[in-house]
Amino acid sequence: MALQGNLRDFSVNEILQLLGTQNKTGCLLLEWNTERAMVFVHDGRVVGTRSQGMDGEDPLLQFLIKIHRLSDEQRRGLLSVHKESNRDLEDLLLTGRYMEPDELKTFIERQILNDLMRLVRWESGTYRFDPKAKWKGSPLVRLSMEGALIEAARRVDEQKRFVTRFKDPYELLGMHDLPDPDEPLSEEEKELFGLVDGQHTVAEIVEAAPLTEYEAYESLNRMLEAEWIVVVGRRDPGITLTPSPVRSPRVPTRRISWGHEALAGALVVGSLLVLPLAAKALRGPAAPVAATQDVFVATRVRDVRLALELYRREHGEYPAKLDVLVAQDWLGPRQLEIPGHRLEYRADSVGYVLEPRAER
């Protein structure tokens, strides 16, 4: 008989610990009101929190859209291919060359942790473990049950602190000081620097960040504690002074895969935030974005360049004009607008030139 019962008697944490210590294989099905969730385990390790296949509500698909790794156009394309082939999303992402295996593995780990963080807070509902419902094929991820639950619990505790720190979502955040060149920055902090410009609220930055809600708040909290950013004011609800940051698909920088590192809380990579000192036109996909002393300008140029790379991966060549990126939803219209600058772009069979020119 399958293990089943009420979450008021045994918590999600306790049930998962039991499945881990007994090296169980199968699927834990959870229900609470209208919410449904599942946790696949293999030999006591977590291998997934989604059903294999694909639909519009697939947790991994929604996660990749939230962190801006997939555009809406790519989502529609994946759903169309799945409808014809009935193949799993992970398979489609790999065979379609949307990402490499190591990159996808990292995203799946982040998605699983984000789901577990939500599930361990369920205080009521029902559960049922089905040992016959097994993950088909070889899973890309096999997370230690103990390590995953420790990390999920840590995040829940930290989130309570963030709720107090960011109780006013309408505070405006601005730059105060750049980190010391020797200061190791997490990927999350690098992503957020370009969004903190003194004109957008905490809520807008969290919404626009290519991160989960927890990751965004965690990074903002550390940046505030380090005094790299500060609260510069407040904007009342309903008042829009400038357009909110626009979501865009991107090619993320390489992240450390979660695993044993998570137990030590090591989501920080030892890399530097480099701000080149001279503006210069650069040719070809392998070159970095045009240099600038302005963090906001550098971030906008980087986003355009990443969109160009995504376009090339889909079409085999760069677009003739930047407007094509907007027309095909690789970028939002506002992302080609840089206050005080204009973007010069030229493309040929060799590569492209992208340069921000200061307007006088």
Side-chain angles (χ1 to χ4, degrees), residues 20 56 58 77 99 137 180 193 227 249 267 278 339 353:
D58 186 292
M99 55 192 71
D180 186 277
F193 266 113
E227 297 184 347
L267 289 174
V353 173

Side-chain angles (χ1 to χ4, degrees), residues 8 17 45 60 85 90 141 165 170 258 274 283 296 309 329 333 350 360:
R8 293 177 186 236
Q17 284 181 340
R45 290 178 170 266
L60 178 58
S85 64
E90 294 180 18
V141 171
R165 176 61 189 85
Y170 302 106
W258 186 94
V274 180
R283 172 175 293 275
F296 179 77
E309 292 307 311
D329 294 327
V350 178
R360 295 182 179 179

Side-chain angles (χ1 to χ4, degrees), residues 25 36 51 106 168 191 235 288 351:
T25 295
R36 305 288 185 273
S51 60
T106 300
D168 185 355
E191 297 289 355
R235 188 196 312 151

Side-chain angles (χ1 to χ4, degrees), residues 163-235:
V163 169
T164 301
R165 176 61 189 85
F166 298 100
K167 57 185 177 182
D168 185 355
Y170 302 106
E171 288 182 331
L172 297 168
L173 298 179
M175 292 292 298
H176 179 260
D177 191 16
L178 289 177
D180 186 277
D182 295 326
E183 179 73 30
L185 296 173
S186 71
E187 296 299 329
E188 291 89 345
E189 289 156 354
K190 293 182 192 177
E191 297 289 355
L192 287 177
F193 266 113
L195 297 173
V196 178
D197 59 3
Q199 301 181 57
H200 296 107
T201 66
V202 171
E204 289 172 338
I205 293 172
V206 170
E207 174 65 21
L211 307 164
T212 66
E213 181 179 286
Y214 171 81
E215 291 170 341
Y217 278 119
E218 182 182 45
S219 298
L220 285 176
N221 184 69
R222 187 194 174 207
M223 293 164 73
L224 280 168
E225 290 182 343
E227 297 184 347
W228 299 332
I229 63 176
V230 294
V231 176
V232 296
R234 185 181 188 278
R235 188 196 312 151

Side-chain angles (χ1 to χ4, degrees), residues 239-259:
I239 299 178
T240 303
L241 301 181
T242 58
S244 298
V246 182
R247 291 184 179 186
S248 66
R250 66 185 183 90
V251 177
T253 51
R254 206 50 90 169
R255 299 171 56 94
I256 294 179
S257 176
W258 186 94

Side-chain angles (χ1 to χ4, degrees), residues 1 22 36 60 63 75 117 181 199 205 214 273 343:
M1 177 181 291
Q22 295 189 0
R36 305 288 185 273
L60 178 58
F63 173 82
R75 178 189 65 82
M117 180 183 169
Q199 301 181 57
I205 293 172
Y214 171 81
L273 180 66
L343 278 177

